[in-house]
Amino acid sequence: MSEKLTKTALTPATHTTPPAKFSHGVKKGNILQVAGQVGFGPAVEGQAPTPVGPGLREQTLQTLANVEAILKEGGASWEDVMMMRVYLTDTSHFAELNAIYNEYFDGLQEAPAARTTVYVGLPAGLLVEIDALAVLG
């Protein structure tokens, strides 16, 4: 009989507690799913999350930092990421996002699969959301 794997919710110290019953990330066995992250700055106790800068670059870099914090919390790194999904609120941001993405992941040995789409459902002021799936080991 096989042993049941434990599912562990991940919330790094840099993140606020989710406002509903969901997790910023979940790890089960060697699989780690990072929920959609946005460009909120690090958590400040007693304050609501606040987007960094109004521009795509600031928000994308913060979003990637937020994804990375969850990866690290679960014992993973960008090298473990198999798939990333990027959601933009404006089609005119594709070229800028690609430039930021290429610069950010310049040293990555193998790039993950990725998908970018336009999504209009982000809260006001947010320009990008990213989620990731990692396999450890």
Side-chain angles (χ1 to χ4, degrees):
M1 188 167 170
S2 65
E3 185 178 318
K4 185 175 181 180
L5 298 174
T6 302
K7 181 168 73 171
T8 305
L10 304 170
T11 299
T14 54
H15 288 56
T16 58
T17 301
K21 192 165 178 72
F22 63 85
S23 302
H24 289 292
V26 175
K27 182 178 177 184
K28 187 170 183 177
N30 68 337
I31 305 291
L32 192 163
Q33 176 66 57
V34 177
Q37 300 295 301
V38 294
F40 287 145
V44 176
E45 192 171 332
Q47 293 183 14
T50 306
V52 298
L56 181 67
R57 181 172 188 78
E58 300 94 340
Q59 287 193 24
T60 300
L61 292 174
Q62 184 63 55
T63 300
L64 290 166
N66 292 343
V67 170
E68 185 173 30
I70 297 164
L71 291 170
K72 286 181 178 178
E73 184 81 8
S77 73
W78 287 115
E79 293 293 346
D80 298 307
V81 174
M82 301 295 293
M83 178 66 177
M84 290 178 51
R85 285 168 292 273
V86 179
Y87 304 92
L88 293 173
T89 59
D90 189 330
T91 57
S92 70
H93 290 158
F94 273 97
E96 184 180 1
L97 175 79
N98 286 341
I100 296 165
Y101 186 93
N102 287 340
E103 177 186 319
Y104 189 87
F105 290 113
D106 184 50
L108 202 60
Q109 288 183 11
E110 296 292 335
R115 174 182 185 272
T116 304
T117 190
V118 175
Y119 174 68
V120 295
L122 292 178
L126 291 172
L127 304 173
V128 62
E129 178 178 340
I130 299 174
D131 69 65
L133 175 66
V135 178
L136 290 76

